[in-house]
Amino acid sequence: MNNSTVTELCFLHTNLLEEDIKRIKELVANLPLIADLNKANVFVDCPTKEGKHAIVVAEAAPSTTKSNYKKSVVGKFAYEAFEPAVFYTLRTGKPMFLNRAVTQEGKTVDQSVVPIKGADDRVLGALIMEKDISEHLQRQQKMEALSEATEALSGILMGLAENRPIIPEMLEESIFFLEQDGKLLYCNPSGTNLIQEIDEDGSWIGKSLVSYFPVIEAILKASDELIVQEVKLLNKVFQVKKIELRQQEKMTGTFVIFKNITELREKERELIVKSVAIREIHHRVKNNLQTVASLLRLQMRRGLPEESKVHFVESLNRITSIASVYEIILSGSSVDDVDLFKLIEKIGNTLILEAEHENKKISITYSGAHSQIQSNKAVSVALVVNELIQNCVKHAFKAIHHGKIEVFFHQIDDQMEIQVIDNGEGYSPKSKSSLGLDIVKMMIEHDLSGCFLIEKAETGTIATVKFPLTRGEVQL
């Protein structure tokens, strides 16, 4: 397997990072061994940038048995309609075993799929194994009355079974069945209505489907037996599926299915417009906050009374903490969600860097998952974390100039808990309440519907914050 092909396909069609592609390439190097050991074809599929399809970036055929494929499928797209198990694994990160599937060359296989995961348990792609069970199925079919079954199924398909309503007649999709030469043999009522929008005559039997819909000519001529493609037709958007039927390597007919997805695409377009608008709002809020921060820094450079300087610094830190929320949103792919780990890390590192300017040697560590929280909650969390870490820097190490701060955060069901622990002088309940702690209590109780506890530890102080990720009561 050519690793340069894997890299090129991943960069061209996916959102995978360089470290993700390296992980994929390490796995691809072992594909031939996996194929030989299992006597099966194996593939690596990765989700495309749009997330609608997947791209086959690597494959390996077994040398220990006959391959299921005559042609390479590397670089071809996989569609959810034909690969439901693959897309289930890509979305959920869960494996699927011995799922019945049909290959792109029309063979029936037992398909097993396991997720390929990278850092932070992210799903990078899917490892797929396919074993040919065509002979097994043929042995089963020989035991059935094939002629009677075929006649009955044909009658149901064509709607000739005692003139009763059947499934194709009730479907909203337009279904066409073409003979080997591409002439129309059958279409359901929805298909007839679609044809009549072009030709009111309605005598479609024996005519070419391409004569009505020239836009699908390339789809019908394509050598692939299974194709899903979008086309624009009659000022609408249709998803067109082509399914070729084969018997003993000979094509016996073709199903063409039109599904009107105009409304779906319009809703997607509206969502994209709204997403762009939201990101633009976040961008402007971030710029405005940075402008306010710049004004405060300018005032500080021009000179301040010593007793006022600390208040300006605290206000500046609060503003930059809120701005961090919008910077992280704009740097990620989500429209309105914030990575909690990145947010806390950014705020903490900024405060510790300022402490170094005051000749304090304080180290800080973070422990927690990359949980996503909504931006409105993230603003409150940013202010809370800013005040707690700033409180450590300012008060815990007042008499000493070195120390350690640990920030722990973890999610239990719908509850998020954040702890800020220092090894400084230790909190005294008799201490005078500060503006910072008042801000923490107000944010936790009113904005996050949570609770706050600060207490003296054996060495230093432990501040604990708990709040629900969705609106509701906090579990103490």
Side-chain angles (χ1 to χ4, degrees):
M1 177 57 59
N2 191 337
N3 275 334
S4 63
T5 302
V6 176
T7 303
E8 181 180 352
L9 289 172
C10 288
F11 273 122
L12 187 62
H13 297 286
T14 76
N15 289 321
L16 295 178
L17 305 174
E18 288 188 7
E19 62 186 58
D20 301 332
I21 298 174
K22 182 180 178 182
R23 166 79 178 109
I24 295 290
K25 289 164 68 175
E26 290 173 352
L27 176 63
V28 167
N30 296 310
L31 286 190
L33 288 175
I34 298 172
D36 287 344
L37 180 64
N38 292 281
K39 294 184 176 181
N41 288 76
V42 291
F43 309 87
V44 173
D45 286 12
C46 296
T48 58
K49 294 178 180 179
E50 303 80 10
K52 298 177 184 176
H53 311 307
I55 181 80
V56 182
V57 300
E59 66 178 5
S63 60
T64 50
T65 189
K66 185 179 179 181
S67 174
N68 297 329
Y69 291 77
K70 295 180 180 179
K71 301 177 181 178
S72 172
V73 296
V74 170
K76 291 193 175 184
F77 292 99
Y79 303 100
E80 186 169 5
F82 305 121
E83 302 275 9
V86 174
F87 284 81
Y88 172 83
T89 296
L90 290 175
R91 290 196 179 103
T92 65
K94 298 179 181 179
M96 288 282 285
F97 297 103
L98 300 179
N99 181 65
R100 189 65 54 86
V102 178
T103 71
Q104 295 194 20
E105 294 182 2
K107 288 187 178 180
T108 304
V109 294
D110 268 343
Q111 184 186 71
S112 296
V113 188
V114 294
I116 302 169
K117 296 186 177 181
D120 308 321
D121 214 35
R122 290 181 297 108
V123 176
L124 310 180
L127 177 63
I128 305 154
M129 182 179 73
E130 294 181 351
K131 286 190 175 182
D132 186 6
I133 58 171
S134 301
E135 293 183 2
H136 175 70
L137 291 178
Q138 286 175 4
R139 286 194 295 269
Q140 288 183 335
Q141 291 169 355
K142 286 179 181 179
M143 299 173 65
E144 301 173 358
L146 292 179
S147 59
E148 293 180 7
T150 302
E151 185 177 351
L153 289 171
S154 298
I156 291 173
L157 177 64
M158 300 307 176
L160 302 176
E162 301 179 9
N163 293 320
R164 288 180 295 184
I166 56 173
I167 292 175
E169 306 298 304
M170 296 181 287
L171 293 176
E172 293 183 0
E173 288 86 351
S174 301
I175 301 176
F176 305 94
F177 183 73
L178 313 182
E179 296 182 283
Q180 296 95 318
D181 57 2
K183 299 296 176 61
L184 273 163
L185 181 62
Y186 165 83
C187 69
N188 67 347
S190 178
T192 302
N193 293 337
L194 191 61
I195 287 177
Q196 288 179 344
E197 290 188 43
I198 298 173
D199 182 5
E200 296 181 358
D201 180 26
S203 57
W204 47 265
I205 295 179
K207 292 186 178 180
S208 170
L209 186 61
V210 173
S211 65
Y212 293 110
F213 311 116
V215 71
I216 70 166
E217 183 175 6
I219 297 176
L220 294 180
K221 287 184 176 180
S223 59
D224 294 335
E225 295 171 0
L226 304 174
I227 291 181
V228 180
Q229 190 171 316
E230 289 185 16
V231 301
K232 289 186 178 180
L233 186 69
L234 301 173
N235 296 320
K236 301 172 186 175
V237 180
F238 287 89
Q239 181 189 71
V240 178
K241 296 180 184 178
K242 183 194 80 167
I243 307 171
E244 291 185 359
L245 303 182
R246 291 184 177 272
Q247 188 172 9
Q248 297 179 351
E249 300 298 325
K250 182 180 179 182
M251 190 177 75
T252 57
T254 304
F255 274 112
V256 180
I257 304 172
F258 283 64
K259 182 179 181 181
N260 190 341
I261 57 172
T262 307
E263 185 177 350
L264 175 64
R265 291 294 174 259
E266 183 60 28
K267 288 181 179 179
E268 288 180 351
R269 189 190 67 79
E270 291 175 0
L271 285 174
I272 291 172
V273 171
K274 289 179 181 178
S275 299
V276 171
I278 291 172
R279 291 186 73 85
E280 178 62 23
I281 291 171
H282 289 330
H283 186 74
R284 293 188 182 187
V285 170
K286 184 203 74 169
N287 288 346
N288 289 339
L289 288 170
Q290 289 178 340
T291 299
V292 174
S294 298
L295 291 173
L296 287 176
R297 292 190 186 96
L298 181 62
Q299 182 63 53
M300 292 170 66
R301 292 193 192 100
R302 293 177 65 88
L304 289 171
E306 194 61 33
E307 63 273 13
S308 300
K309 184 178 180 181
V310 64
H311 301 300
F312 269 73
V313 171
E314 289 176 353
S315 298
L316 182 60
N317 287 337
R318 289 166 187 146
I319 292 169
T320 54
S321 295
I322 298 174
S324 298
V325 173
Y326 298 97
E327 286 180 19
I328 293 173
I329 291 176
L330 292 170
S331 66
S333 58
S334 176
V335 176
D336 203 38
D337 288 335
V338 180
D339 187 310
L340 185 62
F341 189 104
K342 290 182 179 179
L343 177 63
I344 292 177
E345 184 181 42
K346 184 175 180 63
I347 294 170
N349 290 347
T350 301
L351 293 173
I352 295 304
L353 184 62
E354 290 182 1
E356 291 178 359
H357 296 159
E358 299 176 8
N359 296 321
K360 290 184 178 182
K361 295 182 179 179
I362 302 172
S363 64
I364 187 167
T365 58
Y366 312 92
S367 177
H370 286 260
S371 302
Q372 298 287 323
I373 59 174
Q374 295 178 344
S375 61
N376 58 338
K377 284 184 178 291
V379 170
S380 299
V381 171
L383 284 171
V384 167
V385 171
N386 174 78
E387 297 302 333
L388 293 179
I389 297 177
Q390 191 165 252
N391 191 63
C392 294
V393 173
K394 183 177 178 182
H395 299 292
F397 309 109
K398 187 183 298 184
I400 55 179
H401 293 281
H402 59 85
K404 181 179 181 181
I405 299 174
E406 298 175 284
V407 184
F408 298 93
F409 46 96
H410 63 276
Q411 181 180 345
I412 303 176
D413 296 328
D414 190 45
Q415 302 290 322
M416 178 61 69
E417 180 180 90
I418 301 175
Q419 285 188 315
V420 179
I421 304 172
D422 66 68
N423 63 348
E425 297 180 11
Y427 173 75
S428 173
K430 297 180 181 180
S431 300
K432 183 180 178 181
S433 179
S434 66
L435 174 61
L437 292 183
D438 288 342
I439 290 175
V440 171
K441 292 175 183 177
M442 181 186 69
M443 288 290 176
I444 291 297
E445 293 175 3
H446 296 287
D447 291 359
L448 297 174
S449 299
C451 62
F452 170 60
L453 176 66
I454 183 168
E455 55 189 342
K456 184 179 177 66
E458 291 184 8
T459 55
T461 303
I462 300 177
T464 304
V465 169
K466 291 183 181 179
F467 61 91
L469 291 175
T470 57
R471 201 69 180 176
E473 297 297 325
V474 67
Q475 297 175 3
L476 302 176

